Amino acid sequence: MKRFLPLPFYVKLACVLISIILLGYLAKIGDTIVIPMILGLLFSLLLIPLSNFLERKLRFPRTLAGILSVILFFGVLGYGLFLLASQLTLLKEDFPAFKQQIMDGVSNLQTWVSRQFGIQHKDQIDFINKTASKSVDSGTLFLGTALVSLSSMFILFVFTFLYTFFLLIYRGHVVKFLLFVNRVEDRPIVIDVVKQIQYVVKKYLIGLLIQMSLVSLLVFIVLSLIGVKYSLLLALITGVFNVLPYVGIFSSMLIIAILTFATSSFTHVVLVIIALIIIHMIDSNFIVPKIVGSKVKVNSLFAMLSIIIGEMVWGISGMFLAIPILAIVKIVMDRIKELKPWGFLLGEEDSKDELYKDLFDTLNPVEKKIIEENESKE
């Protein structure tokens, strides 16, 4: 006789799925508010040690300590963006060479098409002219979109600054609220979750900064040895893009290959691609596991899935925020009895993990024996 799960399970599952869909919809339509709020939460968690130092050691009021911490952090962030922008302005010097290189490439491509497919140069030029005329309208639309994006970036920067400041000075108030809305017996768990989230987010963001610095340094050294122009600019681009797992390295590789082709030879392009692949292998196998991966124990399957969902909901911002959000969700799930299996699913497969041992102890002898036999075979 078949055994069916009790009805309440299906009701709970349906409620969870509906809640996830509603939260996703609200996050999508409210991205102007939600994205800077999440960024403000992450940055405020990162700045808590600095604010505590100013409050306890230098006896600053919390408001003054908060504003100084936020100004200092965003000042360093703004300087990094200014450095990147100043390097980008140098590209205008090589724009004529870039244009000539592209024209030579198009000419060679036209000759190859003419020889292989018998399409004359005149027909190719007519097709290019028609395509270019259609692109004018698209270019106008793109310009308008770019202006809207710049204004959105400014709004994002201002809102993130304000959220970071207010969450930093009201952090104690928020923790007290979380304690008040939970039962007395659950309050130790709440304190543990808050501490773990602060610890993991702080270590993860610091790990990302270290990873970005190391990757940028390696790329700068390699590009300088190869003799590629604007090696500092390309190294900074690679470091920033490398924050995105799996996607960032290929995006930066494409950008560097195009700029190298415009200012150098095809041989340099090949050398740059090989060097970036080697650096990516070093980063994936040594830097990330030791510096970043040890702080956020999320398996690669759900990390990639979260990045895809983040891009679908919030675009590029969602890709950057996906891993920290997933790490926070896992911390909460690991400390709620009913959600522990889901926290285990999000984590890496490790039989020495405490959560794995807790779940293993709840199994009956037959189930334990089956799992032990499978592990011994592996």
Side-chain angles (χ1 to χ4, degrees):
M1 183 176 181
K2 288 185 176 181
R3 295 177 60 188
F4 294 93
L5 292 173
L7 182 60
F9 174 82
Y10 295 106
V11 175
K12 291 180 181 179
L13 181 60
C15 292
V16 170
L17 293 176
I18 293 173
S19 301
I20 292 174
I21 294 173
L22 288 176
L23 287 174
Y25 176 73
L26 293 175
K28 178 66 176 178
I29 63 175
D31 55 350
T32 305
I33 298 175
V34 178
I35 292 177
M37 181 175 288
I38 295 176
L39 285 172
L41 174 63
L42 297 178
F43 293 156
S44 63
L45 291 173
L46 179 64
L47 294 175
I48 285 177
L50 177 59
S51 181
N52 286 336
F53 173 79
L54 295 176
E55 292 175 32
R56 296 172 184 174
K57 300 295 184 181
L58 302 181
R59 303 295 182 180
F60 284 2
R62 173 159 292 189
T63 302
L64 179 59
I67 193 65
L68 287 177
S69 301
V70 173
I71 290 176
L72 180 62
F73 175 76
F74 278 88
V76 174
L77 184 63
Y79 177 75
L81 295 175
F82 171 76
L83 181 63
L84 182 61
S86 63
Q87 290 291 316
L88 285 172
T89 57
L90 297 177
L91 287 176
K92 64 181 182 182
E93 298 178 4
D94 272 328
F95 184 76
F98 177 78
K99 181 179 179 181
Q100 185 61 42
Q101 196 87 327
I102 295 297
M103 294 300 295
D104 293 341
V106 170
S107 178
N108 294 333
L109 180 61
Q110 284 182 329
T111 303
W112 181 81
V113 170
S114 178
R115 291 176 181 176
Q116 296 294 325
F117 303 100
I119 303 176
Q120 300 301 317
H121 284 199
K122 182 179 180 300
D123 298 330
Q124 296 179 38
I125 292 174
D126 291 339
F127 174 77
I128 293 173
N129 288 335
K130 290 179 181 179
T131 304
S133 63
K134 292 179 180 178
S135 299
V136 172
D137 296 332
S138 300
T140 305
L141 179 62
F142 176 78
L143 180 60
T145 305
L147 292 175
V148 172
S149 299
L150 288 175
S151 61
S152 300
M153 286 293 294
F154 178 76
I155 294 174
L156 175 65
F157 186 86
V158 173
F159 280 6
T160 302
F161 180 91
L162 294 175
Y163 281 132
T164 304
F165 171 68
F166 287 121
L167 287 172
L168 192 59
I169 64 174
Y170 288 116
R171 59 186 184 273
H173 195 70
V174 174
V175 173
K176 292 175 184 177
F177 164 77
L178 294 176
L179 293 175
F180 287 148
V181 297
N182 284 276
R183 297 177 300 179
V184 176
E185 57 269 24
D186 293 333
R187 288 174 183 174
I189 299 177
V190 175
I191 295 295
D192 183 45
V193 168
V194 171
K195 289 182 178 179
Q196 286 298 317
I197 288 176
Q198 179 185 347
Y199 173 79
V200 170
V201 170
K202 181 181 68 174
K203 295 297 183 181
Y204 174 71
L205 293 179
I206 293 175
L208 278 185
L209 292 175
I210 296 174
Q211 181 199 12
M212 290 172 58
S213 302
L214 291 177
V215 171
S216 298
L217 179 61
L218 290 174
V219 173
F220 175 72
I221 293 173
V222 169
L223 294 183
S224 300
L225 292 176
I226 295 175
V228 178
K229 292 189 68 175
Y230 307 119
S231 55
L232 178 58
L233 169 63
L234 300 179
L236 292 175
I237 291 175
T238 305
V240 173
F241 275 61
N242 199 60
V243 174
L244 298 176
Y246 316 110
V247 179
I249 186 64
F250 295 106
S251 302
S252 59
M253 188 181 299
L254 178 62
I255 294 173
I256 292 176
I258 293 174
L259 292 178
T260 303
F261 177 74
T263 58
S264 188
S265 62
F266 182 75
T267 304
H268 282 174
V269 174
V270 175
L271 292 175
V272 164
I273 292 176
I274 294 174
L276 288 177
I277 292 175
I278 295 174
I279 291 174
H280 175 61
M281 294 176 63
I282 295 173
D283 178 50
S284 301
N285 294 285
F286 297 98
I287 298 178
V288 171
K290 298 294 183 181
I291 297 177
V292 181
S294 59
K295 311 299 184 299
V296 182
K297 296 182 179 179
V298 177
N299 66 59
S300 301
L301 171 62
F302 286 96
M304 189 65 195
L305 184 61
S306 66
I307 291 172
I308 295 173
I309 295 175
E311 196 281 330
M312 293 173 61
V313 177
W314 291 330
I316 296 178
S317 300
M319 297 176 72
F320 282 98
L321 294 175
I323 303 298
I325 292 175
L326 188 63
I328 293 174
V329 170
K330 185 182 184 303
I331 291 172
V332 175
M333 287 182 171
D334 286 346
R335 283 152 183 82
I336 298 177
K337 183 178 179 181
E338 293 78 6
L339 298 179
K340 278 189 176 183
W342 296 99
F344 172 76
L345 179 64
L346 295 178
E348 294 285 357
E349 186 173 0
D350 186 5
S351 59
K352 298 180 180 179
D353 187 70
E354 292 183 3
L355 179 60
Y356 174 85
K357 294 178 180 179
D358 292 341
L359 294 172
F360 186 78
D361 291 338
T362 62
L363 303 176
N364 60 50
V366 177
E367 294 168 335
K368 290 182 180 180
K369 185 177 180 181
I370 293 173
I371 293 178
E372 289 173 348
E373 289 177 353
N374 290 333
E375 289 180 349
S376 63
K377 291 178 181 179
E378 293 177 358

